[in-house]
Amino acid sequence: RNETENFDEEELIEKIANERTFLISDLVGSGKTETLKELTRKFKIKYPNFWITFLTLKNNKSDYQEVKYADPNFKIKDFMSKIILKLDPEKNFLENWFFNFFYEQKRVIFLFDGFDEINPDCKHQVLTIFTLLRKGEQVKIGVTSRQHLEVELKQKMKTEPFKIIPFDKNQQVDFLLKSWDDVDNEDEIYAKYL
């Protein structure tokens, strides 16, 4: 939900498809990462004509140092494809071709998880990445973060954050049962007592 409306997953998927940026900001353990993963999975099914990538921000520290925001020749598309996605045109010709095709068609979505978990030394570079992606108008971006960085992200991304409505007890049980690969009777009993 945002400050004025509640959205279910389908409505949020439509928001992703139709808006340039979105932000999910909430408390630790509220389900931001799992929500973003599930939205990625469902979006790929509903809109197979988009390139959508889920990225865990804390895993790419050394890559962020490659951001050359003062360099007039710096191209965010090349940075995202070569540095972040590791698409080598020689080794991944087809994948690289598809990325470029979807990028030119304005059908690329980057979902960045865990802005609050990155090394503080990288914060400026990551915010620069968000700004350059927004400025280029070729891609859509989504970001998750805890609430203490919400104001800064709202300003940079020019959007209001979504909050996650907590599961009730039955939804928690259903979620856990769906999450466990091999659910047997013991797991089901355990889930009901959580």
Side-chain angles (χ1 to χ4, degrees), residues 155-169:
Q155 290 172 341
K156 283 287 182 190
M157 296 181 64
K158 309 217 180 313
T159 190
E160 289 298 315
F162 291 97
K163 306 290 184 191
I164 296 177
I165 298 172
F167 284 163
D168 63 26
K169 185 174 175 127

Side-chain angles (χ1 to χ4, degrees), residues 82-96:
K82 293 176 186 161
I83 306 299
I84 300 298
L85 298 176
K86 313 280 192 251
L87 296 179
D88 181 343
E90 309 240 343
K91 294 179 184 172
N92 311 88
F93 174 79
L94 192 57
E95 193 173 18
N96 196 62

Side-chain angles (χ1 to χ4, degrees), residues 18-172:
N18 296 311
E19 295 190 15
R20 297 261 344 277
T21 59
F22 77 95
L23 170 63
I24 298 174
S25 174
D26 218 323
L27 300 171
V28 64
S30 61
K32 298 177 296 294
T33 298
E34 291 306 314
T35 298
L36 199 60
K37 285 179 182 177
E38 187 66 9
L39 288 172
T40 302
R41 188 184 71 72
K42 288 185 175 180
F43 191 93
K44 284 180 180 182
I45 293 167
K46 186 167 185 173
Y47 294 101
N49 59 339
F50 272 83
W51 178 291
I52 184 166
T53 302
F54 176 93
L55 298 160
T56 303
L57 283 167
K58 68 181 176 184
N59 292 345
N60 298 319
K61 180 184 175 195
S62 62
D63 295 341
Y64 305 137
Q65 295 163 354
E66 298 288 325
V67 176
K68 308 281 192 256
Y69 43 88
D71 179 354
N73 296 318
F74 178 78
K75 296 194 176 8
I76 191 66
K77 175 185 156 198
D78 294 340
F79 172 79
M80 293 304 293
S81 70
K82 293 176 186 161
I83 306 299
I84 300 298
L85 298 176
K86 313 280 192 251
L87 296 179
D88 181 343
E90 309 240 343
K91 294 179 184 172
N92 311 88
F93 174 79
L94 192 57
E95 193 173 18
N96 196 62
W97 185 89
F98 274 111
F99 174 77
N100 287 313
F101 173 78
F102 285 120
Y103 193 90
E104 295 306 318
Q105 298 294 315
K106 299 182 179 182
R107 291 187 285 158
V108 171
I109 303 173
F110 292 113
L111 301 178
F112 297 97
D113 184 48
F115 179 74
D116 56 295
E117 297 176 13
I118 61 172
N119 184 314
D121 296 339
C122 299
K123 186 173 154 186
H124 179 71
Q125 286 93 337
V126 173
L127 287 172
T128 299
I129 292 167
F130 296 164
T131 300
L132 292 172
L133 287 171
R134 279 195 80 256
K135 195 188 301 184
E137 297 187 9
Q138 294 294 105
V139 302
K140 300 171 187 290
I141 62 172
V143 178
T144 66
S145 182
R146 293 181 194 148
Q147 291 174 310
H148 67 280
L149 296 169
E150 184 177 302
V151 172
E152 186 172 15
L153 284 168
K154 277 172 47 172
Q155 290 172 341
K156 283 287 182 190
M157 296 181 64
K158 309 217 180 313
T159 190
E160 289 298 315
F162 291 97
K163 306 290 184 191
I164 296 177
I165 298 172
F167 284 163
D168 63 26
K169 185 174 175 127
N170 290 335
Q171 291 169 321
Q172 288 175 4

